[in-house]
Amino acid sequence: MTTRVEASVPYTEADLTGRVAIVLGAEDEGLTDTWNGPDITAIHLPMRGIADSLNVSVSAAVVLYEARRQRDRHPRPGD
């Protein structure tokens, strides 16, 4: 799972309950094309105003918190 400004899937609608890798790019350069394949889900964090990116540590905290929230609501067997 990658975070991208232009992604169409909001982070709250992505299934973060299973085994996932969350990949975040540098704030100035983003991710390489390697992380743009059809088998990779791109998610976005909605932002208001004119900003087009968040600090990468803020993005990581938001996505990881959402993963924890989803997992607390929907525990999988063995968790």
Coordinates of all heavy atoms in Angstrom, one line a residue:
M1 N 0.8 -1.2 0.0 CA 0.0 0.0 0.0 C 0.9 1.2 0.0 O 1.9 1.3 0.8 CB -0.9 0.0 1.3 CG -2.0 0.8 1.2 SD -3.4 0.1 2.2 CE -3.8 -1.4 1.4
T2 N 0.6 2.2 -0.9 CA 1.4 3.4 -0.9 C 0.5 4.6 -0.7 O -0.7 4.5 -0.9 CB 2.1 3.6 -2.3 OG1 1.1 3.7 -3.3 CG2 3.0 2.4 -2.6
T3 N 1.1 5.7 -0.2 CA 0.3 6.9 -0.1 C 0.7 7.8 -1.3 O 1.9 8.0 -1.6 CB 0.6 7.6 1.2 OG1 2.0 7.9 1.3 CG2 0.2 6.8 2.4
R4 N -0.3 8.3 -1.9 CA -0.1 9.2 -3.1 C -1.1 10.3 -3.1 O -2.3 10.1 -2.8 CB -0.1 8.5 -4.4 CG 1.0 7.5 -4.6 CD 1.0 7.0 -6.0 NE 2.1 6.1 -6.3 CZ 3.3 6.5 -6.6 NH1 3.6 7.8 -6.7 NH2 4.3 5.7 -6.8
V5 N -0.7 11.5 -3.4 CA -1.6 12.7 -3.5 C -2.7 12.4 -4.5 O -3.9 12.7 -4.2 CB -0.9 14.0 -3.9 CG1 -1.8 15.1 -4.1 CG2 0.1 14.3 -2.8
E6 N -2.4 11.8 -5.6 CA -3.4 11.6 -6.7 C -4.2 10.3 -6.6 O -5.0 10.0 -7.4 CB -2.7 11.6 -8.1 CG -1.8 10.4 -8.4 CD -0.5 10.4 -7.7 OE1 -0.1 11.3 -7.0 OE2 0.3 9.4 -8.0
A7 N -4.0 9.5 -5.5 CA -4.7 8.3 -5.3 C -6.2 8.5 -5.2 O -6.6 9.5 -4.6 CB -4.1 7.5 -4.2
S8 N -7.0 7.5 -5.6 CA -8.5 7.7 -5.5 C -9.1 7.0 -4.3 O -10.2 7.3 -3.9 CB -9.1 7.2 -6.8 OG -8.9 5.8 -6.9
V9 N -8.3 6.2 -3.6 CA -8.8 5.5 -2.4 C -8.5 6.2 -1.1 O -7.3 6.4 -0.8 CB -8.2 4.0 -2.4 CG1 -8.7 3.3 -1.1 CG2 -8.6 3.3 -3.6
P10 N -9.5 6.7 -0.4 CA -9.2 7.3 0.9 C -8.6 6.3 1.9 O -9.0 5.1 1.9 CB -10.5 7.8 1.4 CG -11.4 7.8 0.2 CD -10.9 6.8 -0.7
Y11 N -7.7 6.7 2.7 CA -7.0 5.8 3.6 C -8.0 5.1 4.6 O -7.8 4.0 5.0 CB -5.9 6.5 4.5 CG -6.4 7.4 5.6 CD1 -6.4 6.9 6.9 CD2 -7.0 8.6 5.3 CE1 -6.9 7.7 7.9 CE2 -7.4 9.4 6.3 CZ -7.4 9.0 7.6 OH -7.9 9.8 8.6
T12 N -9.1 5.7 4.8 CA -10.1 5.1 5.7 C -10.9 4.0 5.0 O -11.6 3.2 5.7 CB -11.1 6.1 6.2 OG1 -11.7 6.8 5.1 CG2 -10.4 7.1 7.2
E13 N -10.8 3.9 3.7 CA -11.5 2.9 2.9 C -10.6 1.7 2.5 O -11.1 0.7 2.0 CB -12.2 3.5 1.7 CG -13.3 4.4 2.1 CD -14.0 5.0 0.9 OE1 -13.9 4.4 -0.3 OE2 -14.7 6.0 1.0
A14 N -9.4 1.8 2.8 CA -8.4 0.7 2.4 C -8.5 -0.3 3.6 O -8.6 0.0 4.7 CB -7.0 1.3 2.3
D15 N -8.4 -1.6 3.2 CA -8.4 -2.7 4.2 C -7.0 -2.8 4.7 O -6.1 -3.3 4.1 CB -8.8 -4.0 3.6 CG -8.9 -5.1 4.5 OD1 -8.6 -4.9 5.7 OD2 -9.2 -6.2 4.1
L16 N -6.8 -2.4 6.0 CA -5.5 -2.4 6.6 C -5.5 -3.5 7.7 O -4.6 -3.4 8.6 CB -5.2 -1.0 7.2 CG -5.1 0.1 6.2 CD1 -5.0 1.4 6.9 CD2 -3.9 -0.1 5.3
T17 N -6.4 -4.4 7.7 CA -6.5 -5.4 8.7 C -5.6 -6.6 8.5 O -5.3 -7.4 9.5 CB -7.9 -5.9 8.9 OG1 -8.4 -6.5 7.7 CG2 -8.9 -4.8 9.3
G18 N -5.2 -6.9 7.3 CA -4.3 -8.0 7.0 C -2.9 -7.7 7.0 O -2.4 -6.6 7.5
R19 N -2.1 -8.5 6.3 CA -0.7 -8.3 6.2 C -0.5 -7.3 5.0 O -0.8 -7.6 3.9 CB 0.1 -9.6 5.8 CG 0.1 -10.5 7.0 CD 0.8 -11.8 6.6 NE 0.8 -12.7 7.7 CZ 1.6 -13.7 7.8 NH1 2.6 -13.9 7.0 NH2 1.6 -14.5 8.9
V20 N 0.0 -6.1 5.4 CA 0.3 -5.1 4.4 C 1.6 -4.5 4.6 O 2.1 -4.5 5.8 CB -0.8 -4.0 4.4 CG1 -2.2 -4.5 4.1 CG2 -0.9 -3.3 5.7
A21 N 2.2 -3.9 3.6 CA 3.4 -3.1 3.7 C 2.9 -1.7 3.4 O 2.2 -1.5 2.4 CB 4.5 -3.5 2.7
I22 N 3.2 -0.8 4.2 CA 2.8 0.6 4.0 C 4.1 1.4 3.6 O 5.1 1.4 4.3 CB 2.2 1.2 5.3 CG1 1.0 0.5 5.7 CG2 1.9 2.7 5.1 CD1 0.4 0.8 7.0
V23 N 4.1 1.9 2.4 CA 5.3 2.5 1.8 C 5.0 4.0 1.7 O 4.0 4.4 1.0 CB 5.6 1.9 0.4 CG1 6.8 2.5 -0.2 CG2 5.8 0.4 0.6
L24 N 5.9 4.8 2.3 CA 5.8 6.3 2.2 C 7.1 6.8 1.6 O 8.2 6.4 1.9 CB 5.7 6.8 3.6 CG 4.5 6.3 4.4 CD1 4.7 6.4 5.9 CD2 3.2 7.0 4.1
G25 N 6.9 7.8 0.7 CA 8.0 8.4 0.0 C 8.5 9.6 0.7 O 7.9 10.2 1.6
A26 N 9.6 10.1 0.2 CA 10.2 11.4 0.7 C 9.2 12.5 0.4 O 8.5 12.5 -0.6 CB 11.6 11.6 0.1
E27 N 9.2 13.5 1.3 CA 8.2 14.6 1.1 C 8.5 15.3 -0.2 O 7.5 15.8 -0.9 CB 8.3 15.5 2.2 CG 7.9 14.9 3.5 CD 8.4 15.6 4.7 OE1 8.5 16.9 4.7 OE2 8.8 15.0 5.7
D28 N 9.7 15.5 -0.6 CA 10.0 16.3 -1.8 C 10.0 15.5 -3.1 O 9.6 16.0 -4.2 CB 11.3 17.0 -1.7 CG 12.5 16.0 -1.5 OD1 12.2 14.9 -1.1 OD2 13.7 16.4 -1.7
E29 N 10.3 14.2 -3.1 CA 10.4 13.4 -4.3 C 9.3 12.3 -4.4 O 9.1 11.8 -5.5 CB 11.8 12.8 -4.4 CG 12.9 13.8 -4.5 CD 14.2 13.1 -4.6 OE1 14.3 11.9 -4.8 OE2 15.2 13.8 -4.3
G30 N 8.6 12.0 -3.4 CA 7.6 10.9 -3.4 C 8.2 9.6 -3.6 O 9.4 9.3 -3.2
L31 N 7.5 8.7 -4.3 CA 7.9 7.3 -4.5 C 8.4 7.1 -6.0 O 7.9 7.8 -6.9 CB 6.8 6.4 -4.3 CG 6.2 6.3 -2.8 CD1 4.9 5.6 -2.8 CD2 7.3 5.7 -1.9
T32 N 9.3 6.2 -6.2 CA 9.7 5.8 -7.5 C 8.6 5.1 -8.3 O 7.6 4.6 -7.7 CB 11.0 5.0 -7.5 OG1 10.6 3.7 -6.9 CG2 12.1 5.6 -6.8
D33 N 8.7 4.9 -9.6 CA 7.7 4.2 -10.4 C 7.6 2.8 -10.0 O 6.6 2.1 -10.3 CB 8.1 4.3 -11.9 CG 7.8 5.7 -12.4 OD1 7.0 6.5 -11.8 OD2 8.4 6.1 -13.4
T34 N 8.6 2.2 -9.3 CA 8.5 0.8 -8.8 C 7.3 0.6 -8.0 O 6.7 -0.5 -8.0 CB 9.8 0.5 -8.0 OG1 10.9 0.7 -8.8 CG2 9.7 -0.9 -7.4
W35 N 6.8 1.6 -7.3 CA 5.7 1.5 -6.4 C 4.4 2.0 -7.0 O 3.4 2.4 -6.4 CB 6.0 2.4 -5.1 CG 7.1 1.8 -4.4 CD1 8.4 2.3 -4.3 CD2 7.1 0.6 -3.6 NE1 9.2 1.5 -3.6 CE2 8.4 0.5 -3.1 CE3 6.2 -0.3 -3.3 CZ2 8.8 -0.6 -2.3 CZ3 6.6 -1.4 -2.5 CH2 7.9 -1.5 -2.0
N36 N 4.3 2.0 -8.3 CA 3.2 2.5 -9.1 C 2.5 1.3 -9.9 O 1.8 1.6 -10.8 CB 3.6 3.6 -10.0 CG 2.5 4.6 -10.2 OD1 1.5 4.6 -9.6 ND2 2.7 5.5 -11.2
G37 N 2.8 0.1 -9.6 CA 2.2 -1.0 -10.3 C 0.8 -1.3 -10.1 O 0.2 -0.9 -9.1
P38 N 0.2 -2.2 -10.9 CA -1.2 -2.5 -10.8 C -1.6 -3.4 -9.6 O -2.7 -3.4 -9.1 CB -1.5 -3.3 -12.1 CG -0.2 -3.8 -12.5 CD 0.8 -2.8 -12.1
D39 N -0.6 -4.0 -9.0 CA -0.8 -4.9 -7.8 C -0.6 -4.1 -6.5 O -0.6 -4.7 -5.4 CB 0.1 -6.1 -7.9 CG 1.6 -5.7 -8.0 OD1 1.9 -4.6 -8.4 OD2 2.5 -6.5 -7.6
I40 N -0.4 -2.8 -6.6 CA -0.2 -2.0 -5.4 C -1.3 -1.0 -5.3 O -1.7 -0.3 -6.2 CB 1.2 -1.2 -5.5 CG1 2.3 -2.2 -5.6 CG2 1.3 -0.2 -4.4 CD1 3.7 -1.6 -5.9
T41 N -1.9 -1.0 -4.1 CA -3.0 -0.1 -3.8 C -2.5 1.2 -3.3 O -1.7 1.3 -2.4 CB -4.0 -0.6 -2.7 OG1 -4.5 -1.9 -3.1 CG2 -5.1 0.3 -2.4
A42 N -2.9 2.3 -4.0 CA -2.5 3.7 -3.6 C -3.6 4.3 -2.8 O -4.8 4.3 -3.3 CB -2.1 4.5 -4.8
I43 N -3.3 4.9 -1.7 CA -4.3 5.5 -0.9 C -3.9 7.0 -0.7 O -2.7 7.4 -0.9 CB -4.4 4.9 0.5 CG1 -3.1 4.9 1.3 CG2 -4.9 3.4 0.3 CD1 -3.2 4.3 2.7
H44 N -4.9 7.8 -0.3 CA -4.5 9.2 0.0 C -5.2 9.7 1.3 O -6.1 9.1 1.8 CB -5.0 10.1 -1.2 CG -6.5 10.4 -1.2 ND1 -7.4 9.6 -1.7 CD2 -7.2 11.5 -0.7 CE1 -8.6 10.1 -1.6 NE2 -8.5 11.2 -1.0
L45 N -4.6 10.7 1.8 CA -5.1 11.4 3.0 C -5.6 12.7 2.6 O -4.9 13.5 2.0 CB -3.9 11.6 4.0 CG -3.5 10.4 4.8 CD1 -2.7 9.4 4.0 CD2 -2.6 10.9 6.0
P46 N -7.0 12.9 2.7 CA -7.5 14.1 2.2 C -7.0 15.3 3.0 O -6.7 15.3 4.2 CB -9.0 13.9 2.5 CG -9.2 12.8 3.5 CD -7.9 12.0 3.4
M47 N -6.8 16.4 2.2 CA -6.3 17.6 2.8 C -7.1 18.8 2.3 O -7.6 18.8 1.2 CB -4.8 17.8 2.4 CG -3.9 16.8 3.0 SD -2.2 17.0 2.4 CE -2.3 16.4 0.7
R48 N -7.3 19.8 3.2 CA -8.0 21.0 2.8 C -7.1 22.1 2.5 O -5.9 22.1 3.0 CB -9.0 21.4 4.0 CG -9.9 20.3 4.4 CD -11.0 20.1 3.4 NE -11.9 19.1 3.8 CZ -12.1 17.9 3.3 NH1 -11.3 17.5 2.3 NH2 -13.0 17.0 3.7
G49 N -7.5 23.0 1.7 CA -6.7 24.2 1.4 C -5.7 23.9 0.3 O -6.0 23.1 -0.6
I50 N -4.6 24.6 0.2 CA -3.7 24.6 -0.9 C -2.5 23.6 -0.7 O -1.8 23.4 -1.7 CB -3.2 26.0 -1.3 CG1 -2.4 26.5 -0.1 CG2 -4.3 26.9 -1.7 CD1 -1.6 27.8 -0.4
A51 N -2.4 23.0 0.4 CA -1.3 22.1 0.7 C -1.5 20.8 -0.2 O -2.6 20.4 -0.5 CB -1.3 21.6 2.1
D52 N -0.4 20.3 -0.8 CA -0.4 19.1 -1.6 C 0.3 17.9 -1.0 O 0.4 16.9 -1.6 CB 0.0 19.4 -3.0 CG 1.5 19.7 -3.1 OD1 2.2 19.8 -2.0 OD2 2.1 19.8 -4.2
S53 N 0.9 18.1 0.2 CA 1.5 17.0 0.9 C 1.6 17.3 2.4 O 1.4 18.4 2.9 CB 3.0 16.8 0.3 OG 3.8 17.9 0.7
L54 N 1.8 16.2 3.1 CA 2.0 16.2 4.6 C 3.4 15.8 4.9 O 4.0 15.1 4.1 CB 1.0 15.3 5.3 CG -0.5 15.6 5.2 CD1 -1.3 14.5 5.8 CD2 -0.8 16.9 5.9
N55 N 3.9 16.2 6.0 CA 5.2 15.7 6.5 C 5.0 14.1 6.5 O 4.0 13.6 6.9 CB 5.4 16.3 7.9 CG 6.6 15.7 8.5 OD1 6.6 14.6 9.0 ND2 7.7 16.5 8.5
V56 N 6.1 13.4 6.1 CA 6.0 12.0 6.0 C 5.8 11.3 7.4 O 5.1 10.3 7.4 CB 7.3 11.4 5.3 CG1 8.5 11.5 6.1 CG2 7.0 10.0 4.8
S57 N 6.3 11.9 8.4 CA 6.0 11.3 9.7 C 4.6 11.5 10.2 O 4.0 10.6 10.8 CB 7.0 11.9 10.8 OG 6.8 13.2 11.0
V58 N 4.0 12.6 9.8 CA 2.6 12.8 10.1 C 1.7 11.8 9.3 O 0.8 11.2 9.8 CB 2.1 14.2 9.7 CG1 0.6 14.4 9.8 CG2 2.8 15.2 10.7
S59 N 2.0 11.6 8.0 CA 1.3 10.7 7.1 C 1.4 9.2 7.7 O 0.5 8.5 7.8 CB 1.9 10.7 5.7 OG 1.6 11.9 5.1
A60 N 2.6 8.9 8.1 CA 2.9 7.6 8.7 C 2.0 7.4 10.0 O 1.4 6.3 10.1 CB 4.3 7.3 9.0
A61 N 2.0 8.4 10.8 CA 1.2 8.3 12.1 C -0.3 8.1 11.8 O -0.9 7.3 12.4 CB 1.5 9.5 12.9
V62 N -0.8 8.8 10.8 CA -2.2 8.8 10.5 C -2.6 7.4 9.9 O -3.5 6.7 10.4 CB -2.6 9.9 9.5 CG1 -4.0 9.6 8.9 CG2 -2.5 11.2 10.1
V63 N -1.8 6.9 9.0 CA -2.1 5.6 8.4 C -1.9 4.4 9.4 O -2.7 3.5 9.5 CB -1.2 5.3 7.1 CG1 -1.4 3.9 6.6 CG2 -1.5 6.4 6.1
L64 N -0.8 4.5 10.2 CA -0.6 3.5 11.2 C -1.7 3.5 12.3 O -2.2 2.4 12.7 CB 0.8 3.6 11.9 CG 1.9 3.3 10.9 CD1 3.2 3.6 11.6 CD2 1.9 1.8 10.5
Y65 N -2.2 4.6 12.7 CA -3.3 4.7 13.6 C -4.5 4.1 13.0 O -5.3 3.4 13.7 CB -3.5 6.2 14.0 CG -4.6 6.3 15.0 CD1 -4.4 6.1 16.4 CD2 -5.9 6.6 14.7 CE1 -5.3 6.2 17.3 CE2 -6.9 6.6 15.6 CZ -6.6 6.5 16.9 OH -7.6 6.5 17.9
E66 N -4.8 4.4 11.7 CA -6.0 3.8 11.1 C -5.9 2.3 11.0 O -6.9 1.6 11.2 CB -6.1 4.4 9.6 CG -7.3 3.8 8.8 CD -8.6 4.0 9.4 OE1 -8.8 4.9 10.3 OE2 -9.6 3.3 9.0
A67 N -4.7 1.8 10.7 CA -4.5 0.3 10.7 C -4.8 -0.3 12.1 O -5.5 -1.3 12.2 CB -3.1 0.0 10.3
R68 N -4.3 0.4 13.1 CA -4.6 -0.1 14.5 C -6.1 0.0 14.8 O -6.7 -0.9 15.4 CB -3.8 0.8 15.5 CG -4.0 0.5 17.0 CD -3.3 -0.8 17.4 NE -4.0 -2.0 17.2 CZ -3.5 -3.2 16.9 NH1 -2.2 -3.3 16.8 NH2 -4.3 -4.2 16.8
R69 N -6.7 1.1 14.4 CA -8.2 1.2 14.6 C -9.0 0.1 14.0 O -9.8 -0.5 14.6 CB -8.7 2.6 14.1 CG -10.1 2.9 14.4 CD -10.6 4.1 13.7 NE -10.7 3.9 12.3 CZ -11.7 3.3 11.7 NH1 -12.7 2.8 12.4 NH2 -11.8 3.1 10.4
Q70 N -8.6 -0.2 12.7 CA -9.3 -1.2 12.0 C -9.1 -2.6 12.6 O -10.0 -3.4 12.7 CB -8.9 -1.2 10.5 CG -9.4 -0.1 9.7 CD -8.9 -0.2 8.2 OE1 -8.6 -1.3 7.7 NE2 -9.0 0.9 7.5
R71 N -7.9 -2.8 13.0 CA -7.6 -4.1 13.6 C -8.2 -4.3 15.0 O -8.6 -5.4 15.3 CB -6.0 -4.3 13.7 CG -5.4 -4.4 12.3 CD -3.9 -4.3 12.3 NE -3.5 -4.2 11.0 CZ -2.4 -4.8 10.6 NH1 -1.6 -5.5 11.4 NH2 -2.0 -4.8 9.3
D72 N -8.4 -3.2 15.7 CA -9.1 -3.3 17.0 C -10.6 -3.6 16.8 O -11.2 -4.3 17.6 CB -9.0 -2.0 17.8 CG -7.6 -1.9 18.4 OD1 -6.8 -2.9 18.4 OD2 -7.3 -0.7 18.8
R73 N -11.2 -3.1 15.7 CA -12.6 -3.4 15.4 C -12.8 -4.7 14.8 O -13.9 -5.3 14.9 CB -13.1 -2.3 14.4 CG -13.3 -1.0 15.0 CD -14.0 -0.1 13.9 NE -14.8 0.9 14.6 CZ -15.5 1.8 14.0 NH1 -15.5 1.8 12.7 NH2 -16.1 2.7 14.7
H74 N -11.9 -5.2 14.0 CA -12.0 -6.5 13.3 C -10.8 -7.4 13.5 O -10.0 -7.6 12.6 CB -12.2 -6.2 11.8 CG -13.3 -5.2 11.5 ND1 -14.6 -5.6 11.6 CD2 -13.2 -4.0 11.1 CE1 -15.3 -4.5 11.2 NE2 -14.5 -3.5 10.9
P75 N -10.7 -7.9 14.7 CA -9.5 -8.8 15.0 C -9.6 -10.1 14.1 O -10.7 -10.6 13.9 CB -9.6 -9.1 16.4 CG -11.0 -8.8 16.8 CD -11.5 -7.8 15.9
R76 N -8.5 -10.5 13.6 CA -8.4 -11.7 12.9 C -8.0 -12.9 13.8 O -7.3 -12.7 14.8 CB -7.3 -11.6 11.8 CG -7.8 -10.6 10.7 CD -6.7 -10.5 9.6 NE -7.2 -9.6 8.6 CZ -7.4 -10.0 7.4 NH1 -7.2 -11.2 7.0 NH2 -7.8 -9.1 6.5
P77 N -8.4 -14.1 13.5 CA -8.0 -15.2 14.3 C -6.5 -15.3 14.5 O -5.8 -15.1 13.6 CB -8.5 -16.5 13.6 CG -9.6 -15.9 12.7 CD -9.2 -14.5 12.3
G78 N -6.1 -15.5 15.7 CA -4.7 -15.6 16.0 C -4.0 -14.3 16.4 O -2.9 -14.2 16.7
D79 N -4.8 -13.2 16.2 CA -4.2 -11.9 16.6 C -4.3 -11.7 18.1 O -5.2 -12.2 18.8 CB -5.0 -10.7 15.9 CG -4.5 -10.6 14.4 OD1 -3.6 -11.3 14.1 OD2 -5.2 -9.9 13.7

